[in-house]
Each structure stands twice: as structure tokens, then as C-alpha cells.
Amino acid sequence: MLENLEEILTRNKRPVIAVSYDYKGWILEKFAKHIKELNKEKYDFLLFSVHHLRKYPYYYKELFQHVDLILNMLPSILLDIKALTDKPIINTVHHWVDEQMMLPYIKNSQYIVTVSNEWRDKIINNFAFPQTKVMTIHCGIEDRFLHKHSPLYPKDKNLISLGFFAKNTSNENDRKGTRHLKKLVYYLRDNNKLQDFRIIISGVGWQSFIDEIHNFGANVIYAEFVPDEKMPSLYSSLDFYLMLSDIEGGPATVLESMASKTAVISNNIGIVKDLGIDGKNIILIDPANPKQIYEKIELHTNNSKLKNDIIQNAYNLVLNMTYQNVFRDYSKIFSTFLKNYKSGIVTALNLKKTQKFLYKQAPNVRRKK
């Protein structure tokens, strides 16, 4: 590994920022790519997978000698990075399940970026973290979500299509709310309403959950892995997108659904607390109350004007939430951390070859079953 790095050394005279993500094809890699794209005129970037770092730490100890700043997107990897370098690190917090687990992460952070004010406030209040050293930068959407797409699964006018999307690795302690969805299916079945619904679920590794609710009698379409380019069509297949999570970072799915002109039924957490107004741009519910969820679905199904107004207001909101808009604040943070950077300092990296090598080493989301 080290020989590979030594072979591709060359000269570079701009600040180099290394950005961590988890898997190719998941949202953190998407974040990393958009941050790079927005700042490419001023800085050079190296995007790396945390899984590769843990496998080959000595390679990264050498690599980090040639970067000026690290943007770390995963709490679990911070201490691994700090053991390899003393370069400044900006950390991000999307959510956490266990406060004790987060304590060393917060204590070892110089600066933190969160995706919602809910987490910013908790970081400040629960950990006495300086409020001047934590900033909220919301999730964003890609422009293509704002355009019309044909449904991936054509709608049936006789069925109400509900969507529930998640990843298997993001469901610690059932924080995505699968138990709430099961309760809703039970309620619909017990009240002779289940035959009126179609449920579309996307998420790698969810087959056992799909089998369980299918056995309840639910009409289920399991999309499993849906490529990014087909996600707008997936949202367009729905009448309502359900966000039943107990804990969330964004979620980005709420914004993507809004941009796809699909009504969102959501628990009031994460970015929803910052942007959602019940009855105006979103439909707020208690995820543990299936009767309430059904009644709100029925209300908005039978009142097309009310539903369409919510959809249009949500769409107008996210028009200004493309990555190009919401991620601009990263530039301010980078400038602050690199204000003492002196032009002309030589960094010995061939960035193009190094990045190509790092991408090749990163695991792909499709392999995570």
C-alpha cells in the first residue's frame, strides 16, 4: 500500500482537504462529492472510505501528511483518524442513538457541523459544547428531483400507495420505525382497510421485514436497492411518503419526496422540525398512533385541494434547497480553518491518481447485504 502512495507523489500548491464517507452509492459519498464540486475552484479534495482507512491505517498515516484539513462525516472513525494525524479535523453529526457513545466524539471535536438544529441544540446543551463551534447545514437535494419523472411503479387509481425507505445499517434499535409501520399494517387489517393500500419499501437487507408484513396480508412491493438516478421515479410512484423514524439526521428522503411532489407524512424530528409546518407543507403525525396516521391519509386522500396545496408549498420550499445552495456554508468553514495557509507550500500528491486509487478501494453499497 505504501509503495503505491510513493509511486504517485508529485507537486501541488493548493490546500488539500480529505473527506471521509462510508460506502459508494450512499448519501455520505453524495455529500462528499457535492462539497468537492462546490469548492473545487479554491481547494483540492481527496474522498476516502472509512472502511479502507480501518483496513490500511499505515497508508493513511502517510497520506494525511500531504493534506491540510480533514472533513470527517462519521463519528465512529474520529479516534482512528486522530491516532494517525494532528491535522485539523471538522466533524459532522447527522444523528446518534447512544449519548455515551457520542461523548468521546464530541469531546474530541474542534468544530462540528450538524444537519438539523435539533442536534445542534443537543450538542450545545447536553455536552456544554461552545455554540460558536457548531453550525447547522441542512441536507440538500439534487436538481433532477425538481423535474417530472415517470413512476417507477405505475400508480393504481384504486389503491393508495405508501412509501417507506430505509437502509439496513441505519436501523439500530429500530430507530427507522419499522415497528410503527407494522402497527399501521395491523390497524388497517383489523379495520378492513388493508386492501385499499399498496406499500412500496426500499432498503438493502430488509427481506425478513418484507416477509413479515406480507404475511399480515399487506400488498407489498420490495424495491430493495434503487440506484440514485431512479429515486425520483420511486417517489413519483407514491401517494404518500411515510417517515416514521424515532431518530433522524435529515432525513434527505423528506426533502427528496417534497421535490418529487409527493406528500410527506412525518414524525416531527430532525430537519422536519426546522422546515415542516403541519398542514402547510407536510403532514405531521405521531408514528406510534396508527389510527391518527390512517385518518390523516383518509383526510388528504378525500380532499385533493388540501393535499395539493401541501405538495406545492413543499415543492416551493425545496426549490432553494439544492446542494448548490445549502452546502455553500462549508466554504466559510474551510476558509476559517485554512486562513493561515500560505500559497506556495508544496504538497507531494498526484491528486488524480490518488483519488482514482481511493475510489477503487471503497466498498460499494450493493455488497452490503
Side-chain angles (χ1 to χ4, degrees), residues 71-72 88-93 105-117 119-125 127-137 329-330 332-333 336-337 339:
L71 174 60
N72 172 44
I89 304 171
I90 300 167
N91 291 306
T92 67
V93 170
Y105 181 67
I106 304 296
K107 289 179 66 175
N108 283 280
S109 294
Q110 295 174 267
Y111 196 91
I112 298 174
V113 177
T114 73
V115 293
S116 71
N117 287 323
W119 296 114
R120 181 182 184 275
D121 293 344
K122 286 186 177 181
I123 288 168
I124 293 169
N125 297 329
F127 299 100
F129 196 81
Q131 61 181 4
T132 57
K133 295 184 177 181
V134 56
M135 175 186 286
T136 297
I137 300 179
D329 281 338
Y330 276 105
K332 301 174 185 177
I333 301 170
T336 299
F337 271 78
K339 62 184 178 183

Side-chain angles (χ1 to χ4, degrees), residues 47-167:
L47 314 185
F48 68 94
S49 167
V50 298
H51 302 288
H52 187 232
L53 179 144
R54 281 188 162 162
K55 192 173 182 179
Y56 298 104
Y58 292 107
Y59 175 84
Y60 283 87
K61 186 172 184 177
E62 174 70 17
L63 178 68
F64 289 151
Q65 292 182 29
H66 306 286
V67 307
D68 301 282
L69 178 64
I70 299 168
L71 174 60
N72 172 44
M73 294 196 178
L74 292 104
S76 61
I77 203 74
L78 174 60
L79 297 183
D80 299 71
I81 295 175
K82 288 179 72 71
L84 301 175
T85 183
D86 59 359
K87 297 295 174 67
I89 304 171
I90 300 167
N91 291 306
T92 67
V93 170
H94 304 280
H95 65 269
W96 71 74
V97 177
D98 187 319
E99 190 161 306
Q100 283 302 116
M101 180 193 76
M102 290 298 297
L103 182 59
Y105 181 67
I106 304 296
K107 289 179 66 175
N108 283 280
S109 294
Q110 295 174 267
Y111 196 91
I112 298 174
V113 177
T114 73
V115 293
S116 71
N117 287 323
E118 179 179 14
W119 296 114
R120 181 182 184 275
D121 293 344
K122 286 186 177 181
I123 288 168
I124 293 169
N125 297 329
N126 295 16
F127 299 100
F129 196 81
Q131 61 181 4
T132 57
K133 295 184 177 181
V134 56
M135 175 186 286
T136 297
I137 300 179
H138 288 131
C139 301
I141 55 165
E142 293 171 297
D143 290 339
R144 58 196 171 83
F145 283 94
L146 295 167
H147 306 297
K148 188 173 182 179
H149 295 262
S150 299
L152 187 61
Y153 301 99
K155 291 183 177 180
D156 184 334
K157 65 180 181 180
N158 296 314
L159 295 174
I160 300 170
S161 291
L162 307 179
F164 181 86
F165 308 152
K167 298 194 301 288

Side-chain angles (χ1 to χ4, degrees), residues 84-308:
L84 301 175
T85 183
D86 59 359
K87 297 295 174 67
I89 304 171
I90 300 167
N91 291 306
T92 67
V93 170
H94 304 280
H95 65 269
W96 71 74
V97 177
D98 187 319
E99 190 161 306
Q100 283 302 116
M101 180 193 76
M102 290 298 297
L103 182 59
Y105 181 67
I106 304 296
K107 289 179 66 175
N108 283 280
S109 294
Q110 295 174 267
Y111 196 91
I112 298 174
V113 177
T114 73
V115 293
S116 71
N117 287 323
E118 179 179 14
W119 296 114
R120 181 182 184 275
D121 293 344
K122 286 186 177 181
I123 288 168
I124 293 169
N125 297 329
N126 295 16
F127 299 100
F129 196 81
Q131 61 181 4
T132 57
K133 295 184 177 181
V134 56
M135 175 186 286
T136 297
I137 300 179
H138 288 131
C139 301
I141 55 165
E142 293 171 297
D143 290 339
R144 58 196 171 83
F145 283 94
L146 295 167
H147 306 297
K148 188 173 182 179
H149 295 262
S150 299
L152 187 61
Y153 301 99
K155 291 183 177 180
D156 184 334
K157 65 180 181 180
N158 296 314
L159 295 174
I160 300 170
S161 291
L162 307 179
F164 181 86
F165 308 152
K167 298 194 301 288
N168 61 330
T169 57
S170 64
N171 197 38
E172 301 95 337
N173 301 326
D174 187 28
R175 74 170 183 84
K176 283 292 183 180
T178 54
R179 69 190 186 283
H180 300 317
L181 182 56
K182 280 191 275 188
K183 285 179 67 176
L184 177 61
V185 171
Y186 269 129
Y187 177 85
L188 295 174
R189 186 190 65 178
D190 293 345
N191 288 274
N192 198 30
K193 300 293 184 182
L194 191 55
Q195 69 275 7
D196 298 333
F197 289 84
R198 177 181 74 168
I199 304 173
I200 301 175
I201 297 178
S202 174
V204 176
W206 286 76
Q207 188 62 58
S208 61
F209 174 65
I210 301 301
D211 293 341
E212 189 174 358
I213 64 170
H214 180 74
N215 289 336
F216 294 164
N219 176 359
V220 183
I221 295 175
Y222 182 31
E224 194 172 13
F225 179 83
V226 178
D228 280 352
E229 63 270 16
K230 292 186 178 180
M231 285 301 295
S233 293
L234 183 60
Y235 289 109
S236 297
S237 306
L238 309 176
D239 294 301
F240 299 93
Y241 171 67
L242 300 177
M243 204 286 285
L244 305 178
S245 302
D246 299 311
I247 298 172
E248 272 297 347
T253 52
V254 166
L255 300 182
E256 291 172 353
S257 186
M258 289 176 166
S260 302
K261 291 193 171 181
T262 297
V264 178
I265 298 175
S266 177
N267 190 10
N268 192 25
I269 58 171
I271 202 171
V272 176
K273 277 189 174 181
D274 295 343
L275 306 173
I277 301 175
D278 188 28
K280 182 177 181 182
N281 56 27
I282 202 165
I283 303 164
L284 296 182
I285 47 85
D286 172 2
N289 187 338
K291 182 175 185 291
Q292 181 198 58
I293 297 172
Y294 170 71
E295 289 175 347
K296 290 207 172 186
I297 291 172
E298 185 179 43
L299 170 66
H300 292 85
T301 298
N302 294 332
N303 190 329
S304 58
K305 184 181 185 307
L306 177 62
K307 182 182 175 185
N308 289 336

